[in-house]
Amino acid sequence: MNVKVKQRNFVKADYANIELEMSTISWPDTFSVCKNVQEFWNTFYVILNYMVEKYVPVYADLTDKKIDSTTKKLLSKKRSMWKQLQKTNSESIRKRYNFCCRELKKYLTEQRSKDEQRIISSKNPRLFYQHMKRCLHFRDDIPVIDYNGKALIGNVEKADAFNQFFGSVFNSENQNPVNNISLRRHKIKNCIFDPYIVYQAINKIKPCFSSGPDNLPSYFIKRLSVVLAQPLSTIFEVSFRTHQLPKVWLESNVVPLHKKGSKSKPENYR
């Protein structure tokens, strides 16, 4: 079965056309109908997501596995020899079966070597680091979770169980400020988010390809810092003035990591 995971190749995006098209947008006019920071962000995100759909190509990850015709034939031959061996238990059939196993293993090893050479020779460093991460750090999917006497199978049920457990053991004792420190409160009456300052801040971001719930990697944002500084400065100013944040800024991808013991118990994760 050939299952390909489609991903955006932000390295090969047409940034020149994105900048050209976004430079023609009048952000004051575009934001004129927005009433709160959420609407400001939604308007900005729709435009940016449109640029992603239009100018960022989609590719199939080179690390995806495809069962080719040769592998299928070798697997079929191996299964056939195994069935014959179960029926007759013949020494000659056993030798032929062992030969099929060695032949299949040799071919898969050669294919794996070719895949690795293709990844190494690729100009996209992301593929190399993804491959190394898979080789050095393998993470199982979360199995069936036993919580409050119930066996939880669905991902939403598992997430709720982890959320309830982590919330129940949270300790806020160390969150209080030290009593002997004198705190001075200063009220900021006015704050201007100048586009140039926002531009400088964006360029200090580490260019990563991983993203949060908004699916916008920092590499993409940094490459478009010139045309994104103005709309982002407006959103920051509205957020500061209204004391509100867009909903997606309060969201994050959280992955429970197994520590010890049974993997079916939430208390064995961190």
Side-chain angles (χ1 to χ4, degrees):
M1 183 174 64
N2 180 18
V3 180
K4 292 186 177 181
V5 179
K6 297 295 184 179
Q7 296 181 353
R8 295 283 173 182
N9 190 344
F10 287 95
V11 173
K12 295 185 177 181
D14 189 352
Y15 290 101
N17 271 320
I18 297 177
E19 289 183 343
L20 179 62
E21 192 164 338
M22 293 196 69
S23 64
T24 62
I25 299 175
S26 174
W27 291 106
D29 294 337
T30 303
F31 287 146
S32 62
V33 296
C34 300
K35 299 178 181 179
N36 53 58
V37 70
Q38 187 63 50
E39 292 185 2
F40 274 84
W41 171 258
N42 290 344
T43 302
F44 170 76
Y45 183 76
V46 167
I47 295 174
L48 202 56
N49 195 53
Y50 169 77
M51 298 298 171
V52 171
E53 295 286 340
K54 187 176 182 180
Y55 293 112
V56 181
V58 176
Y59 68 92
D61 195 336
L62 292 179
T63 56
D64 291 342
K65 295 298 180 182
K66 179 180 180 181
I67 301 181
D68 54 27
S69 58
T70 303
T71 304
K72 290 180 180 179
K73 291 179 181 179
L74 291 173
L75 285 172
S76 177
K77 187 177 180 180
K78 177 184 175 182
R79 284 193 292 265
S80 177
M81 289 294 101
W82 175 253
K83 289 181 181 179
Q84 294 182 40
L85 182 62
Q86 294 299 305
K87 291 180 180 179
T88 63
N89 197 23
S90 168
E91 185 63 27
S92 62
I93 298 296
R94 183 179 297 278
K95 290 181 179 180
R96 291 171 62 186
Y97 171 75
N98 291 336
F99 177 78
C100 288
C101 292
R102 291 194 298 269
E103 192 176 17
L104 176 61
K105 183 177 180 180
K106 180 181 177 181
Y107 178 77
L108 292 177
T109 302
E110 292 175 351
Q111 291 301 111
R112 187 180 300 109
S113 178
K114 291 180 180 179
D115 290 341
E116 290 178 348
Q117 288 297 325
R118 186 166 67 251
I119 292 172
I120 292 173
S121 61
S122 172
K123 294 182 180 180
N124 187 352
R126 181 186 183 190
L127 298 178
F128 173 78
Y129 289 115
Q130 283 182 335
H131 177 70
M132 292 304 300
K133 186 177 181 179
R134 291 188 181 96
C135 293
L136 299 176
H137 179 69
F138 179 78
R139 187 180 69 208
D140 292 324
D141 292 334
I142 302 297
V144 177
I145 294 297
D146 180 13
Y147 189 66
N148 290 336
K150 296 181 180 179
L152 307 179
I153 300 176
N155 289 333
V156 176
E157 294 176 329
K158 295 177 185 178
D160 288 339
F162 279 112
N163 182 45
Q164 292 177 19
F165 172 74
F166 291 143
S168 67
V169 297
F170 175 74
N171 190 340
S172 61
E173 291 181 0
N174 296 326
Q175 302 301 314
N176 296 325
V178 180
N179 295 328
N180 59 356
I181 296 180
S182 177
L183 299 178
R184 296 182 179 181
R185 298 184 179 273
H186 298 277
K187 185 176 181 180
I188 301 177
K189 297 181 179 180
N190 189 24
C191 184
I192 299 176
F193 293 87
D194 184 79
Y196 182 69
I197 297 177
V198 174
Y199 163 78
Q200 290 180 314
I202 294 175
N203 282 320
K204 294 180 181 179
I205 298 176
K206 182 180 179 181
C208 298
F209 291 99
S210 58
S211 59
D214 60 2
N215 297 316
L216 297 174
S218 60
Y219 178 90
F220 180 69
I221 300 297
K222 189 170 183 178
R223 285 291 301 268
L224 298 173
S225 58
V226 174
V227 292
L228 296 185
Q230 182 180 351
L232 284 177
S233 65
T234 302
I235 295 174
F236 293 156
E237 189 167 350
V238 173
S239 175
F240 180 82
R241 179 162 34 87
T242 61
H243 307 163
Q244 295 178 346
L245 293 172
K247 183 179 178 182
V248 72
W249 292 6
L250 300 173
E251 297 177 351
S252 178
N253 297 328
V254 180
V255 180
L257 300 178
H258 180 253
K259 295 187 299 182
K260 60 181 180 179
S262 173
K263 292 185 177 182
S264 63
K265 301 292 184 181
E267 57 266 29
N268 292 332
Y269 290 80
R270 63 178 174 86

